[in-house]
């Protein structure tokens, strides 16, 4: 698993990019354009929309085509059968996941065939761009709607990923206290944290990414 300083994330030839999906249009377009440019895989763009608007995926495809994306398609991770989901995601060069109303719903929708296909695509060189609350599920810990803590997919080890959170120290304090090896990652509007296959750590869009560490990272005098 690639690592630099406190970050450790999933092995693969592709990029894992965690974004808010909110902010100035130019910032969002910049993040998406970079994602399209960084892929080292062949294939189209796969869109995974986790909300209720049936046309949202197609609208995003249109936006991505304006940015130079190859032919794309929407993958319905709820309605399609497991074999189709896995195959269509595995074959993608870029996967964009967005529209989740809450992280627990995102985790439920993605587990199984979807996360298997996403993992295979990432291993083959695809860029995985997760926008909004779905990004939280790719950390090790996520905050449920009732404030309880549960497990994410752990693509970023020990991480609590917090989209649209600017004061990560305040937001993550209860988790940092209870689980002191946690790395809190706050991603502000218009920003993305991009983790590359050779240990690259980049901020795309706005420079609004902050980190808070639990007491396990403190060193003695």
């Amino acid at each position: 698993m690639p690592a630099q300083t406190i970050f450790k994330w999933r092995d693969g030839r592709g990029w894992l990019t965690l974004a808010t999906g909110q902010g100035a249009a130019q910032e969002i377009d910049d993040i998406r354009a970079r994602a399209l440019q960084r892929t080292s895989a062949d294939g189209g763009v796969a869109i995974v929309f986790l909300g209720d608007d049936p046309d949202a995926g197609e609208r995003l495809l249109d936006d991505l085509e304006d940015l130079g994306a190859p032919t794309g398609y929407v993958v319905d991770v709820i309605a399609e059968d497991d074999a189709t989901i896995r195959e269509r995601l595995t074959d993608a060069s870029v996967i964009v996941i967005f529209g989740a109303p809450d992280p627990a719903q995102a985790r439920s929708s993605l587990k199984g065939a979807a996360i298997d296909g996403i993992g295979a695509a990432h291993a083959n060189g695809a860029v995985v761009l997760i926008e909004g609350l779905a990004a939280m599920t790719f950390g090790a810990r996520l905050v449920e709607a009732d404030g309880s803590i549960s497990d994410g997919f752990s693509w970023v080890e020990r991480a609590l990923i917090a989209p649209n959170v600017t004061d990560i120290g305040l937001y993550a304090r209860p988790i940092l206290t209870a689980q002191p090896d946690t790395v809190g990652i706050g991603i502000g509007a218009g920003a993305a944290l991009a983790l590359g296959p050779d240990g690259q750590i980049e901020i795309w869009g706005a420079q609004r990414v902050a980190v808070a560490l639990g007491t396990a990272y403190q060193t003695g005098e």
Side-chain angles (χ1 to χ4, degrees), residues 42-207:
D42 296 325
V45 175
I47 303 295
V48 178
F49 178 66
L50 300 176
D52 296 325
D53 183 348
D55 298 321
E58 294 293 341
R59 290 198 300 271
L60 180 55
L61 278 177
D62 290 341
D63 292 343
L64 294 176
E65 286 181 7
D66 291 340
L67 297 173
T71 301
Y73 47 88
V74 177
V75 180
D76 189 333
V77 297
I78 303 300
E80 296 182 51
D81 65 87
D82 285 355
T84 300
I85 291 169
R86 191 175 290 109
E87 179 180 2
R88 299 186 82 201
L89 291 171
T90 298
D91 291 344
S93 62
V94 176
I95 298 173
V96 183
I97 303 164
F98 77 117
D102 66 74
Q105 183 267 1
R107 179 186 57 200
S108 177
S109 298
L110 294 173
K111 70 180 180 181
I115 199 66
D116 290 346
I118 294 164
H122 177 262
N124 292 335
V127 173
V128 181
L129 170 60
I130 312 105
E131 298 182 347
L133 292 176
M136 185 176 282
T137 68
F138 284 76
R141 289 140 196 170
L142 58 86
V143 181
E144 303 274 3
D146 62 2
S148 61
I149 308 302
S150 58
D151 295 335
F153 294 122
S154 290
W155 278 37
V156 185
E157 286 188 2
R158 301 185 306 276
L160 171 69
I161 299 164
N164 294 308
V165 170
T166 53
D167 190 344
I168 185 61
L170 178 63
Y171 176 85
R173 185 176 298 161
I175 299 95
L176 297 176
T177 300
Q179 302 187 47
D181 65 336
T182 298
V183 178
I185 304 172
I187 304 172
L193 176 65
L195 305 172
D198 298 312
Q200 304 98 319
I201 299 175
E202 299 179 2
I203 299 175
W204 297 354
Q207 300 296 298

